[in-house]
Amino acid sequence: MPSFNLIKTVVREMVTSERSPRVTEPDLVMDDPENVAAYVEAGREHAVMAPVYLFHCANVCEVIRPGDTVVDLACGPANQLAMVARLNPATRFIGVDLSAPMLERARELIAHQGLTNVEFRHGDITDLSSFGDKSVDAVMSTMALHHLPTLDMLCRTYAEVARILKDGGGVYMVDFGHLKSARSIDYFAYQYADKQPQLFTEDYYNSLRAAFYPDDFRQAVTPLEGRARLYSTIALPFMMALKSAPRRAADPALAAELKRMRQRLPEWHKHDFTDLRRHFGMNRMHCSLIE
Ligand SMILES: C[S@@+](CC[C@H](N)C(=O)[O-])C[C@H]1O[C@@H](n2cnc3c(N)ncnc32)[C@H](O)[C@@H]1O
């Protein structure tokens, strides 16, 4: 049952004529040590990002195959990437990020988990010239595009994805969508303020303010038209995902492992996971691995 505050936020977004401005992230390339540490902490198993990472992980798994080379754009500390890579040992992953401290944490995590199918490149996601045309099987990216300062850079990123992706390649790129009203942004940002570190709440607030509007995404994804579809969460576009058709054959063992991971989530995280699945499901984005 949605809370009263959530219903109020949905109604406000539907009727408001406000268009809150996009405010670029204070830490565009995340190399501030305190921010890096807070972000790494929030991504640990059972921490605040856990249900979101699990939901995106399932969706990525559906568009990749064993034997693929997959690029993770703006991989950060690789919390998301490590989860996907652990479940896909026969897939090769390349994480790209512009922040040296983030890549350092990412390398530590991958080594700590004993994963041998992940490597990293220091680079800018708006210029993927170190990758050839049609050289990768799939591209993933999670909660990162709002770090780009301009719409032009968002457009360049999707154009680069269209260039490096093989024909029939997989795509799952997801990020926050910009809400129209500043009060709606406050509602989402401070929803769990009592359950998470203050620095993470601030980072989340900054992320929501820096998010691109749904119209910006519609414009930017045009180079990938026909290869992937843009979905948003229903009624409130607080998340936008570009996803290709599933490429993976039925995989009951993977689905069972994802179910076990979901069952291990604390109760309030289980609700978040279900909400996310429902919000995207109502806009017809499904994932057979978590049905
Ligand atoms: C919020 S983190 C997301 C990390 C990860 N994808 C996740 O889901 O946890 C955003 C990341 O984008 C990186 N970043 C920002 N601008 C970038 C750019 N132009 N090229 C590559 N990475 C960039 C930052 O350094 C940071 O690590």
Side-chain angles (χ1 to χ4, degrees):
M1 183 67 187
S3 71
F4 177 64
N5 281 339
L6 180 59
I7 295 169
K8 223 166 65 178
T9 305
V10 171
V11 173
R12 185 190 309 116
E13 282 297 297
M14 284 164 78
V15 300
T16 186
S17 58
E18 190 182 338
R19 195 177 157 95
S20 63
R22 208 185 151 234
V23 181
T24 49
E25 280 270 4
D27 197 15
L28 283 173
V29 174
M30 293 178 75
D31 39 22
D32 177 88
E34 282 197 351
N35 284 350
V36 171
Y39 197 80
V40 170
E41 192 52 42
R44 293 201 194 291
E45 308 242 334
H46 303 309
V48 68
M49 298 280 283
V52 180
Y53 279 143
L54 187 54
F55 178 82
H56 297 326
C57 174
N59 279 282
V60 173
C61 287
E62 205 186 26
V63 302
I64 66 176
R65 295 176 183 150
D68 276 356
T69 296
V70 179
V71 177
D72 182 5
L73 298 182
C75 62
N79 292 325
Q80 177 77 76
L81 179 54
M83 188 187 274
V84 177
R86 210 165 57 225
L87 293 172
N88 294 275
T91 303
R92 174 181 171 237
F93 295 89
I94 305 171
V96 177
D97 205 284
L98 205 43
S99 156
M102 278 291 192
L103 287 178
E104 211 178 300
R105 305 305 289 262
R107 289 196 175 95
E108 279 166 21
L109 181 69
I110 295 302
H112 178 72
Q113 296 198 4
L115 298 171
T116 53
N117 57 337
V118 186
E119 59 194 89
F120 295 98
R121 284 189 200 174
H122 184 250
D124 186 337
I125 62 171
T126 67
D127 173 11
L128 297 171
S129 44
S130 73
F131 295 91
D133 296 357
K134 299 189 186 198
S135 61
V136 307
D137 300 285
V139 174
M140 61 180 275
S141 178
T142 52
M143 319 324 289
L145 299 171
H146 60 277
H147 280 264
L148 298 173
T150 64
L151 174 58
D152 178 56
M153 291 176 97
L154 183 71
C155 293
R156 272 165 33 204
T157 302
Y158 284 114
E160 281 292 76
V161 173
R163 181 184 67 75
I164 67 170
L165 197 60
K166 290 181 186 168
D167 294 337
V171 178
Y172 184 74
M173 296 175 67
V174 65
D175 197 17
F176 301 112
H178 200 110
L179 297 171
K180 291 186 240 171
S181 153
R183 282 170 65 196
S184 307
I185 291 178
D186 288 350
Y187 165 73
F188 273 99
Y190 295 103
Q191 202 180 6
Y192 296 132
D194 57 338
K195 293 192 169 84
Q196 63 201 20
Q198 193 192 339
L199 218 51
F200 184 77
T201 302
E202 279 167 26
D203 182 51
Y204 187 29
Y205 175 67
N206 290 335
S207 301
L208 292 175
R209 294 205 312 163
F212 288 98
Y213 268 100
D215 281 350
D216 297 333
F217 282 102
R218 280 182 209 107
Q219 180 185 333
V221 302
T222 51
L224 285 150
E225 233 163 47
R227 303 169 82 180
R229 266 194 60 190
L230 189 64
Y231 300 88
S232 71
T233 40
I234 195 98
L236 284 173
F238 66 90
M239 236 182 242
M240 306 286 300
L242 183 74
K243 187 178 178 186
S244 62
R247 295 172 62 245
R248 193 183 201 103
D251 193 334
L254 178 59
E257 179 55 22
L258 287 164
K259 190 171 177 181
R260 275 193 291 277
M261 289 164 77
R262 201 170 141 191
Q263 281 163 347
R264 285 199 295 267
L265 290 174
E267 279 313 306
W268 64 291
H269 280 171
K270 282 190 186 129
H271 290 146
D272 278 357
F273 183 94
T274 305
D275 278 354
L276 214 42
R277 201 183 59 160
R278 195 183 293 139
H279 280 288
F280 271 118
M282 284 195 278
N283 257 350
R284 290 179 290 129
M285 189 181 90
H286 300 287
C287 175
S288 61
L289 293 164
I290 48 170
E291 299 285 85

